[in-house]
Amino acid sequence: MSDMTLSEELQWRGFVNQTTFENIKDIDKQKWTFYHGFDASADSQTVGNLAGMMFDKVLMRHGNKAYILAGGATSLIGDPIWKDAERPLQDEATIAHNVENAKKQLQQIFKGYDFTLVNNLDWTKDLTVIRFLRDIGKHFSMTPLIQRDYMATRLGDGGTGISFTEFTYTLLQGMDFLHLFDNYGVTLQVGSSDQWGNCLSGVELIRRSRGAEAHVLTHPLVINKATGKKFGRSEAGAVWLDQAKTSPNDFYQFWINADDAGVEEYLKVYTELDKPTIDGIMQEHRQNPKARTAQTKLAEEITKLVHGEQAVTNAQKAATELTGGDISGDSSLVKKYGRDAAFGDLAALLESSGLASSKSEARRLLESGGIYVNDAKATKNNLEQTDFTDGRAKLRRGKTLKNSVIIELTD
């Protein structure tokens, strides 16, 4: 991406959301020392977190110095953002284990990049209450804090309330920014858009306590355009980077099944391919969407990044064995339908073909992403002419080839 400035690449990849810069081009005026914090409340990062890591890599590629923070202290408290109730606190041993796992995954994703990994527990564990209240708390006004959307939701009519413990989370994150500012010259915090308020806490704390300027830049949350849901969620739950939680084969299949509407965005966010390369991939994809050229390249690039090249080879072999076999010659799998029935309600077609025991089960399968049309996850409630080749289309339930039928048009 050497022909693009940092601001141009960030915008092209879709990484610019809220920012304290008056103009995003201001980020090009100097090299920055920045930090990005990652939560350690789970024992693995997800593909949602991976988007943030790829965001960081853009900044690093343009010569900015990175401090990547594992939240050993803040994860003991729990971020209240987007939670309608307080989550149970985890013990120190669990969080320490999670931090170690996060470090390993961050090191894998950032392999070949120069960055410094830090843990906010290191400067928080010996902090006294008095020092926290005098050095940090006195710089915050309660009014703007309780007016933040997530605070107002929890504290308003019908809300579940918020404990003082969770309330202090944003102060602790602000303290992280101040510590990194004082000790490492960090003047830019980056994160996902749902962290905007927490990031501003650090900007305000640095301004009030040090009389200095600091900045924030957030990236949007990646949304699955086919479902409208936060990206990285599937019928089985989150898609994890830990192969013990999401196998490399399932990880590869998740990307292979990415929706056409979002695949270009995913290529920009989740790979380091440059603009000419991605433009070429998308041109080929649009000429023959059924070939799923874009999804295949996406799956190869991300699986290689997270799990290595051998995992890509293994996943491709497994995909061929499970879903890519030629079943066209198996007459026992052929179900013949007239156009009205074939192009009608897909749930009814799944029931009559034997892939579902009832329409209600068929609808549940469709909603959960468990039905595939020609080896691509079904994203609509009916078949169309474009789904058929030589009068035939393949329907599959789940990931195994044996749960397939061939729908053949009779007129």
Side-chain angles (χ1 to χ4, degrees):
M1 307 300 300
S2 57
D3 57 333
M4 284 187 177
T5 64
L6 173 57
S7 65
E8 288 170 341
E9 183 173 356
L10 287 169
Q11 290 178 94
W12 172 71
R13 291 192 184 274
F15 278 138
V16 177
N17 195 25
Q18 309 112 312
T19 184
T20 54
F21 292 112
E22 289 187 11
N23 187 316
I24 188 57
K25 291 183 179 179
D26 291 344
I27 203 171
D28 299 324
K29 294 180 179 179
Q30 66 178 72
K31 299 301 180 184
W32 298 87
T33 301
F34 73 94
Y35 100 91
H36 190 170
F38 289 88
D39 184 65
S41 59
D43 58 1
S44 174
Q45 302 292 298
T46 70
V47 296
N49 306 123
L50 180 60
M53 299 175 203
M54 302 307 289
F55 177 36
D56 298 338
K57 291 172 81 170
V58 176
L59 290 159
M60 291 186 229
R61 283 201 300 275
H62 285 265
N64 299 288
K65 185 173 179 57
Y67 284 83
I68 306 300
L69 183 149
T74 40
S75 297
L76 286 167
I77 300 301
D79 189 349
I81 289 178
W82 304 123
K83 303 289 187 299
D84 57 8
E86 187 164 356
R87 58 179 159 189
L89 295 179
Q90 301 184 76
D91 60 46
E92 294 183 19
T94 298
I95 296 299
H97 171 74
N98 295 348
V99 166
E100 289 306 307
N101 286 357
K103 286 180 179 179
K104 292 175 184 176
Q105 291 174 351
L106 290 164
Q107 288 166 341
Q108 169 66 24
I109 301 305
F110 293 128
K111 187 182 297 182
Y113 284 78
D114 184 20
F115 70 100
T116 302
L117 194 61
V118 294
N119 181 349
N120 57 15
L121 186 63
D122 291 342
W123 57 83
T124 308
K125 61 185 177 182
D126 296 324
L127 181 66
T128 66
V129 173
I130 296 299
R131 181 184 157 206
F132 175 71
L133 294 175
R134 288 178 59 86
D135 295 350
I136 306 300
K138 71 174 183 176
H139 294 292
F140 286 88
S141 169
M142 291 288 289
T143 302
L145 290 179
I146 64 175
Q147 288 176 341
R148 290 181 182 174
D149 288 345
Y150 67 94
M151 291 285 192
T153 299
R154 294 277 290 275
L155 294 172
D157 292 343
T160 57
I162 189 168
S163 70
F164 181 74
T165 299
E166 280 197 321
F167 186 80
T168 60
Y169 182 96
T170 191
L171 278 66
L172 288 173
Q173 188 164 320
M175 187 177 70
D176 288 342
F177 201 168
L178 178 63
H179 176 87
L180 295 171
F181 172 86
D182 285 342
N183 291 275
Y184 304 107
V186 172
T187 54
L188 172 64
Q189 181 180 2
V190 301
S192 57
S193 58
D194 57 357
Q195 290 296 314
W196 172 246
N198 289 335
C199 294
L200 288 180
S201 292
V203 171
E204 281 297 300
L205 181 58
I206 290 169
R207 181 180 65 81
R208 289 173 181 269
S209 65
R210 301 294 185 265
E213 183 179 61
H215 286 282
V216 172
L217 173 63
T218 69
H219 67 86
L221 297 175
V222 183
I223 302 298
N224 186 322
K225 288 182 170 56
T227 64
K229 297 179 181 179
K230 185 177 175 180
F231 198 65
R233 298 282 169 176
S234 71
E235 64 272 20
V239 179
W240 304 93
L241 304 191
D242 187 339
Q243 64 178 2
K245 296 171 75 72
T246 298
S247 73
N249 289 353
D250 287 345
F251 188 83
Y252 180 89
Q253 280 298 316
F254 173 78
W255 300 104
I256 283 288
N257 293 322
D259 55 292
D260 284 340
V263 69
E264 182 173 8
E265 176 187 347
Y266 309 150
L267 280 165
K268 292 176 181 178
V269 169
Y270 286 105
T271 78
E272 297 180 70
L273 300 174
D274 61 17
K275 186 177 187 301
T277 301
I278 291 179
D279 287 347
I281 292 169
M282 291 310 302
Q283 182 179 3
E284 184 177 349
H285 176 77
R286 293 184 186 104
Q287 291 171 348
N288 184 14
K290 289 184 179 180
R292 303 188 73 73
T293 303
Q295 284 90 343
T296 300
K297 186 62 176 176
L298 179 69
E300 290 173 351
E301 289 291 316
I302 307 180
T303 305
K304 179 172 65 176
L305 172 67
V306 176
H307 296 297
E309 289 196 28
Q310 187 58 50
V312 176
T313 302
N314 294 342
Q316 289 173 332
K317 181 180 179 182
T320 300
E321 292 173 349
L322 291 175
T323 65
D326 183 9
I327 62 172
S328 60
D330 189 342
S331 59
S332 67
L333 299 179
V334 176
K335 309 291 182 180
K336 297 184 178 182
Y337 291 89
R339 290 177 180 271
D340 288 345
F343 295 162
D345 180 20
L346 184 53
L349 191 61
L350 291 167
E351 180 189 24
S352 64
S353 68
L355 288 181
S357 60
S358 65
K359 285 186 181 179
S360 59
E361 183 190 30
R363 293 190 185 99
R364 287 196 297 271
L365 288 166
L366 286 165
E367 290 173 0
S368 67
I371 297 298
Y372 298 79
V373 178
N374 299 322
D375 296 324
K377 190 172 293 185
T379 57
K380 54 186 185 297
N381 295 320
N382 63 290
L383 296 182
E384 298 175 354
Q385 183 65 52
T386 54
D387 294 316
F388 289 81
T389 301
D390 296 328
R392 286 184 166 192
K394 184 169 76 172
L395 293 181
R396 175 165 50 86
R397 170 179 175 166
K399 297 178 179 179
T400 58
L401 189 63
K402 65 181 181 180
N403 295 324
S404 302
V405 297
I406 297 169
I407 304 300
E408 183 178 286
L409 297 177
T410 58
D411 54 21

